[in-house]
Amino acid sequence: YMKGAQAAAEVINKAGGINGEKIVLVAGDDACEPKQAVAVANRLADQDKVIGVVGHFCSSNTIPASEVYDEAGIIAIT
């Protein structure tokens, strides 16, 4: 999935980005472990300051991570 997202971001960024802003992709690996998913979600929210998330792939991770995203006001698509 990341290669497709990178290709799309490259095309969009070459065309000027979105509202003049470049897309920056940030990867995270939750290893399909709920505790790791929460750690990744917190990093994405607090350190990386993302505005959207595509993932988590394991449903056991999606639920606890989504609570982090909800509190931070981050859109998540799983």
Side-chain angles (χ1 to χ4, degrees), residues 1-10 23-28 43 54 57:
Y1 297 103
M2 190 64 164
K3 287 184 182 183
Q6 289 169 330
E10 186 176 311
I23 294 173
V24 177
L25 301 178
V26 179
R43 187 201 74 198
V54 178
F57 296 107

Side-chain angles (χ1 to χ4, degrees), residues 28-71:
D29 184 3
D30 64 16
C32 207
E33 296 287 336
K35 287 183 182 178
Q36 183 65 19
V38 170
V40 168
N42 280 316
R43 187 201 74 198
L44 293 172
D46 298 335
Q47 280 182 280
D48 298 321
K49 306 290 187 201
V50 302
I51 60 170
V53 173
V54 178
H56 300 257
F57 296 107
C58 298
S59 60
S60 61
N61 292 1
T62 300
I63 294 168
S66 69
E67 294 172 7
V68 174
Y69 300 136
D70 182 50
E71 287 181 24

